[in-house]
Amino acid sequence: MTSIIGGTLPYKSPEKAITSSSYSAENDSSPVDAVIFAGTSLVLGTACRHLFNGTRVPYTVVLLVIGIVLGSLEYGTNHNLGKLGHGIRIWNDINPDLLLAVFLPALLFDSSFSMDVHQIKRCMVQMVLLAGPGVLISTFCIGALIKLTFPYNWDWKTSLLLGGLLGATDPVAVVALLKELGASKKMTTLIDGESLMNDGVSVVVFQLFFKMVMGHNSDWGSIIKFLVQNSFGAVGIGLAFGFASVFWLKFIFNDTMVQITVTLSASYFAYYTAQEWAGVSGILTVMILGMFFAAFARTAFKGDSHQSLHHFWEMAAYIANTLVFILSGVIIAEGILSGRAISYKVLYPLLCRFGYGLDWKESIILTWSGLRGAVSLSLALSVKQSSGNSYLSSDTGTRFLFLTGGIVFLTLVVNGSTTQLLLHLLRMDTLTATKKRILEYTKFEMMKTALKAFANLGDDEELGSADWPTVIRHISSLKDLEGRQVNPQNGYEAGSLDPKNIMDIRIRFLNGVQAAYWEMLDDGRITQCTANVLMQSVDEALDLVSTSSLSDWRGLEPHVHFPNYYKFLQSKMIPRKLVTHLIVERLESACCISSAFLCAHRIARQQLHEFLGNSNIASTVINESEGEGEEAKQVLEDVRNSFPQVLSVLKTRQVTHYVLNHLNGYIKNLEKVGLLEGKEVSHLQDVVQADLKKLLRNPPLLKLPNIDDLITSNPLSKDRSSFMSLAIGETDA
């Protein structure tokens, strides 16, 4: 097997093999005992997550402590843990490459697939600065501190190896807290994205110094070759697997299990191909693959499939985290080290000038969020398991794990538990007036909803009436609301048109628009391609809410008007049927985008009106939305006047898809109430699914109009005149 740095490592070091062999013979250890340790770890991890949920104690810290206790009991009491102890020793002797290959793809794919691609694009320069120069600065600062202050007599290569290992961050707890406290999406994306890229770069730096420590050639030519191969090779392999997987997903219809299996197999196979076959960074490969999925396969998973996929990868990451932390805790005591703040201080002037910018408060949170976690522990475990030779002693490997475990423990305990206090001191957790008003209104609506539910269920023929005061006493969220008669909508009247309030409502409105697009995608009213265009327009509009009115139509204009290069379609070299097909396809796409835009805005306006009533701030945003829709209405009107059959075909497709989906839901409901049994349900669902597949592959087609009609009447030209006629006129001139 090829190791993490391209060399060959034995399964165990000689002394480990002898010790393990004698121990196995003496105590009748079985390889199956490894399952006992894994199962026990998951049970303990689940119990910790359940017991410490809602507290400030990160459950991963408790897992480390549990691991330390288990290790102390097993190694300090002469195997008193029995079969569990056998499992601990088997896991302790696991091959380092197998350890990384099992844990890292699950940890990294989950993080990268969850990224907001639009936010990543905007923050890319900042993240590259932090993950490139930032990691190098951090690595050399930590390495120098270790070399100059620690009494281990390590050389520079070994010191820098630990410095690179500690560059991988894991701010999951901080990001979750920021989201819970309503911090800006920019902040959470920057921290999460920077951490993800840090992991990729840190692993490459770690592998470079590990290669040096293990006696490989370390001249500048070899170093540059290694870095180039790992970087570009990983990107190429990640993109190749991404393209292949997304292409495959296009042929999978309503099969959640197969879709999830494609992502799982692609991530692990990509890691193996990169790490073991091509000799490049498997970590970077999985990261690129996950981000490719986030960018181009987000709309391939609809409805329940989308949720199931995220739940699966969250579970996979949770299992990997649990096993890594307990396994590390088995042999961890304590240690302390840190060196992240220096890189932020050096790069702060540049970070302020790129992407969304960065103020001093955000830079403090960014620095404080540098928690270490499962990736660092996995790398430290691989170093320990690779030690015990002439290049890296067993004591050095153990110290690596002790120090890394100590850093992980302290950053989780100190940084993780004090982030909320720091946010409070920096006044970054305060609610704006708009958010407070919305909370008040939501509580007001909760009481109305509760009263309505009580009216429906409070009295029946069988049991009689219920006691409302008792109901209230058992629903704590309603106790403080009883008796309120004032509608909080009134707070949005005159004098509330503050720019921050309007910005907040615009953001909520656009989120509603995007949610409507997802609903249309699930219903089959828009295609994946159309959905991607619409989603992107909302993402771009969200960036501008603080400086301008609603502007999501601006991002759609290039997709509904004929671009200038279409005038070359008049060339006699291009077949007329092809020209007609391209123009009709553009017309259909433009109509689909325009109708979806109008429908989503109509839904969002209705929701906003129901939420805020006739307040000034709601009226302002609603008027902006109506103004945005004027051009979309004009596009549809022009097509209706010129080629009404286009709209008819589109509507026919939508209705057909909706009816089939409705039938599918009807069949499921009959099964739910017990009127249909399994075999009957399967038969009926197969029939409906076959019709859906047929609809997607062979949709109702538009009867192609005469090419002369298209040339003389173009409804999608920006100046409402025929670009074809204009092009012909220019040619004649």
Side-chain angles (χ1 to χ4, degrees):
M1 176 183 281
T2 305
S3 77
I4 53 176
I5 47 83
T8 303
L9 292 175
Y11 183 76
K12 299 176 183 174
S13 62
E15 61 176 300
K16 284 181 182 176
I18 294 172
T19 303
S20 179
S21 175
S22 61
Y23 172 76
S24 178
E26 217 176 86
N27 296 276
D28 195 25
S29 173
S30 168
V32 181
D33 293 341
V35 179
I36 298 176
F37 173 75
T40 303
S41 298
L42 293 178
V43 170
L44 292 172
T46 302
C48 291
R49 187 180 180 93
H50 175 71
L51 292 174
F52 291 92
N53 186 32
T55 69
R56 292 191 178 185
V57 180
Y59 90 99
T60 47
V61 170
V62 184
L63 295 183
L64 271 176
V65 174
I66 290 174
I68 292 172
V69 172
L70 290 176
S72 300
L73 290 174
E74 172 59 22
Y75 289 99
T77 59
N78 195 24
H79 323 311
N80 277 351
L81 293 183
K83 289 288 187 180
L84 177 59
H86 298 168
I88 289 175
R89 293 174 180 269
I90 291 172
W91 278 82
N92 188 35
D93 290 337
I94 193 172
N95 179 275
D97 297 313
L98 179 60
L99 187 77
L100 294 174
V102 170
F103 291 139
L104 291 185
L107 292 170
L108 292 174
F109 186 88
D110 174 58
S111 297
S112 55
F113 182 59
S114 301
M115 290 285 97
D116 186 317
V117 177
H118 176 73
Q119 297 272 341
I120 290 291
K121 289 178 183 177
R122 289 297 304 269
C123 299
M124 182 59 71
V125 176
Q126 292 169 306
M127 289 188 294
V128 169
L129 283 172
L130 293 171
V135 168
L136 294 178
I137 293 171
S138 176
T139 298
F140 281 98
C141 287
I142 295 174
L145 184 64
I146 295 169
K147 173 65 178 174
L148 299 176
T149 61
F150 277 39
Y152 301 140
N153 294 320
W154 288 346
D155 57 20
W156 277 102
K157 295 176 183 177
T158 306
S159 300
L160 290 172
L161 175 62
L162 182 56
L165 183 153
L166 290 171
T169 57
D170 186 17
V172 174
V174 173
V175 171
L177 180 61
L178 289 172
K179 291 178 179 178
E180 180 183 331
L181 295 176
S184 67
K185 197 173 181 180
K186 171 194 76 172
M187 191 73 237
T188 55
T189 300
L190 184 58
I191 292 175
D192 219 1
E194 178 259 339
S195 169
L196 180 64
M197 298 187 73
N198 259 10
D199 290 346
V201 175
S202 296
V203 169
V204 172
V205 172
F206 165 82
Q207 291 175 337
L208 174 63
F209 286 114
F210 191 88
K211 187 176 182 181
M212 295 179 182
V213 168
M214 299 303 286
H216 290 259
N217 193 5
S218 58
D219 59 84
W220 282 107
S222 299
I223 292 174
I224 294 174
K225 180 182 178 182
F226 175 83
L227 293 176
V228 171
Q229 282 182 341
N230 270 268
S231 301
F232 291 99
V235 171
I237 294 174
L239 291 177
F241 273 90
F243 277 114
S245 302
V246 171
F247 180 75
W248 190 359
L249 286 172
K250 289 183 178 179
F251 295 93
I252 300 173
F253 183 77
N254 281 359
D255 197 331
T256 304
M257 295 295 292
V258 174
Q259 290 175 324
I260 293 176
T261 304
V262 168
T263 62
L264 179 67
S265 57
S267 60
Y268 277 91
F269 194 34
Y271 180 90
Y272 178 84
T273 301
Q275 194 73 50
E276 306 295 333
W277 179 70
V280 300
S281 174
I283 308 297
L284 277 177
T285 300
V286 174
M287 186 184 78
I288 295 297
L289 174 64
M291 294 184 72
F292 186 90
F293 265 89
F296 298 102
R298 184 170 54 158
T299 54
F301 307 96
K302 304 174 185 177
D304 294 339
S305 296
H306 192 271
Q307 299 235 351
S308 299
L309 181 70
H310 280 286
H311 289 163
F312 170 81
W313 279 106
E314 285 176 0
M315 183 192 69
Y318 163 74
I319 291 173
N321 264 307
T322 301
L323 292 176
V324 167
F325 274 89
I326 291 186
L327 180 60
S328 302
V330 164
I331 48 175
I332 284 176
E334 61 183 357
I336 183 168
L337 192 63
S338 186
R340 179 181 173 91
I342 297 176
S343 61
Y344 284 103
K345 187 174 181 180
V346 172
L347 297 172
Y348 179 71
L350 293 175
L351 295 174
C352 295
R353 289 171 169 78
F354 293 104
Y356 291 106
L358 197 72
D359 60 32
W360 66 272
K361 292 182 180 180
E362 292 170 334
S363 66
I364 291 175
I365 298 299
L366 197 61
T367 303
W368 199 248
S369 66
L371 282 66
R372 269 58 179 180
V375 174
S376 293
L377 285 175
S378 297
L379 296 177
L381 284 168
S382 73
V383 171
K384 183 183 182 303
Q385 303 299 71
S386 302
S387 62
N389 50 60
S390 58
Y391 299 108
L392 200 63
S393 67
S394 295
D395 288 342
T396 300
T398 301
R399 287 187 181 119
F400 261 64
L401 190 56
F402 279 171
L403 292 171
T404 305
I407 292 299
V408 170
F409 184 88
L410 288 173
T411 56
L412 286 172
V413 171
V414 179
N415 297 47
S417 62
T418 59
T419 300
Q420 187 168 1
L421 175 61
L422 183 60
L423 287 167
H424 179 71
L425 293 174
L426 295 173
R427 296 184 177 277
M428 296 180 70
D429 62 344
T430 57
L431 292 175
T432 64
T434 305
K435 292 181 185 294
K436 290 179 180 178
R437 180 59 61 180
I438 286 176
L439 280 177
E440 288 297 312
Y441 174 69
T442 304
K443 291 177 181 178
F444 179 83
E445 287 296 307
M446 286 172 63
M447 176 56 76
K448 288 172 59 178
T449 303
L451 289 171
K452 188 180 296 183
F454 181 78
N456 291 335
L457 300 175
D459 193 4
D460 61 42
E461 295 180 3
E462 292 80 14
L463 300 177
S465 60
D467 181 27
W468 174 249
T470 304
V471 173
I472 287 291
R473 191 165 62 250
H474 284 81
I475 306 177
S476 58
S477 59
L478 299 178
K479 285 181 181 178
D480 298 331
L481 301 178
E482 192 175 17
R484 289 191 183 184
Q485 301 296 330
V486 179
N487 189 333
Q489 289 177 352
N490 299 334
Y492 279 117
E493 295 306 325
S496 63
L497 293 179
D498 182 85
K500 290 185 178 179
N501 292 343
I502 295 178
M503 180 184 74
D504 187 89
I505 298 302
R506 285 174 184 155
I507 291 173
R508 295 173 189 274
F509 181 88
L510 289 171
N511 287 338
V513 170
Q514 199 164 58
Y517 290 149
W518 277 111
E519 190 71 25
M520 292 179 200
L521 178 65
D522 292 340
D523 289 342
R525 296 173 61 185
I526 56 176
T527 63
Q528 292 180 27
C529 182
T530 301
N532 285 327
V533 171
L534 293 166
M535 303 285 187
Q536 184 179 351
S537 71
V538 175
D539 288 334
E540 292 171 352
L542 284 169
D543 291 336
L544 304 173
V545 291
S546 61
T547 58
S548 66
S549 59
L550 296 176
S551 58
D552 48 329
W553 178 256
R554 187 186 308 171
L556 298 176
E557 284 184 330
H559 299 278
V560 298
H561 295 300
F562 280 113
N564 290 332
Y565 63 81
Y566 261 63
K567 64 184 179 182
F568 295 107
L569 295 178
Q570 66 166 336
S571 172
K572 294 181 179 179
M573 298 177 61
I574 303 177
R576 297 292 87 186
K577 286 188 177 180
L578 176 60
V579 173
T580 305
H581 174 76
L582 292 175
I583 295 176
V584 168
E585 187 177 56
R586 185 74 175 193
L587 283 171
E588 291 181 349
S589 175
C591 292
C592 191
I593 289 172
S594 300
S595 63
F597 174 87
L598 290 171
C599 181
H601 269 251
R602 184 169 60 253
I603 293 171
R605 286 198 300 270
Q606 181 179 351
Q607 292 171 342
L608 186 62
H609 182 268
E610 291 175 355
F611 203 62
L612 299 180
N614 295 319
S615 59
N616 292 338
I617 194 169
S619 299
T620 300
V621 177
I622 287 173
N623 289 337
E624 292 177 359
S625 169
E626 291 173 344
E628 279 277 275
E630 290 302 319
E631 190 168 351
K633 291 179 181 177
Q634 188 62 52
V635 168
L636 293 176
E637 186 63 27
D638 290 342
V639 174
R640 183 177 291 107
N641 293 333
S642 303
F643 304 107
Q645 60 269 44
V646 173
L647 302 181
S648 176
V649 168
L650 287 178
K651 189 62 179 178
T652 301
R653 291 178 192 170
Q654 289 183 358
V655 170
T656 307
H657 202 291
Y658 176 81
V659 170
L660 288 171
N661 274 338
H662 183 74
L663 289 175
N664 206 23
Y666 176 70
I667 295 169
K668 290 180 180 178
N669 186 62
L670 290 178
E671 180 187 25
K672 185 178 179 181
V673 299
L675 294 177
L676 287 180
E677 296 181 349
K679 188 174 182 180
E680 298 162 341
V681 171
S682 298
H683 173 73
L684 292 173
Q685 284 184 333
D686 287 344
V687 173
V688 175
Q689 293 294 331
D691 288 338
L692 276 170
K693 289 180 182 179
K694 191 185 300 181
L695 175 65
L696 291 176
R697 294 171 182 171
N698 301 295
L701 297 177
L702 174 67
K703 183 179 179 181
L704 299 180
N706 188 287
I707 185 60
D708 295 330
D709 295 337
L710 287 174
I711 292 178
T712 55
S713 178
N714 169 35
L716 300 185
S717 178
K718 287 188 178 182
D719 59 359
R720 311 295 175 200
S721 62
S722 170
F723 79 94
M724 286 289 193
S725 300
L726 180 61
I728 293 172
E730 289 175 351
T731 305
D732 292 341

